[in-house]
Each structure stands twice: as structure tokens, then as C-alpha cells.
Amino acid sequence: AAATAQEFLLLDKTQSPESLLDIAARKVAEKWPFQRVEERFERIPEPVQRRIIYWSFPRSEREICMYSSFSTGAEDPAAVPGGPTA
């Protein structure tokens, strides 16, 4: 029990626990796209919106690279608006 209390004291001094807002926003962002949240609920306080959006973005470098290199089918110059056929 003394070791657990000591760990708690060290944790308290080095980092603070997540806020309920952050925990809830992270859980929402894990389950639903933000667009669906906006469509479902009429009024979402701005601080809540900001935290859901924050947690909606990928955290790891691998995920960022994966999402930033998604193919949209726009590699074909004819598919790009204002491309060679325009």
C-alpha cells in the first residue's frame, strides 16, 4: 500500500489527470466522425467541439503518414478540375 501511495504522489507531481472533458471527447472521437456528431446534436458548446476535433486527429507519425497519403483518384490529370482536358 505504501508503494501505491508513493506512486500516486509521484504521478500527482509529474502529471495531472485527464479532465472529464478530455476523456469524454476522446471517447466520442474514437467512435464517431465529427460530422456525425454535428448532425446529431443541435448545440455543442465550443470548448467541447474543440476537444472532439483535437482527439479526432491521428496521434502517431505512422497514422499521420497513412492518412496524408490517401489516394483520392486525383492522380489522373484528367480527373483534376482545370486539368489538361479543361
Side-chain angles (χ1 to χ4, degrees), residues 34 47 50 75:
F34 185 72
R50 279 192 238 128
E75 285 84 11

Side-chain angles (χ1 to χ4, degrees), residues 10-58:
L10 290 174
L11 176 67
D12 190 44
K13 289 180 182 179
T14 59
Q15 57 181 231
S16 59
E18 274 189 294
S19 70
L20 184 56
L21 171 60
D22 270 330
I23 294 168
R26 185 168 31 93
K27 292 299 179 183
V28 167
E30 288 172 1
K31 300 272 184 197
W32 299 287
F34 185 72
Q35 181 180 356
R36 182 171 253 175
V37 173
E38 278 186 311
E39 292 168 354
R40 173 78 167 93
F41 301 99
E42 283 184 31
R43 300 173 74 173
I44 305 169
E46 194 169 326
V48 176
Q49 289 180 27
R50 279 192 238 128
R51 295 317 294 169
I52 293 171
I53 291 169
Y54 172 82
W55 288 109
S56 294
F57 284 92

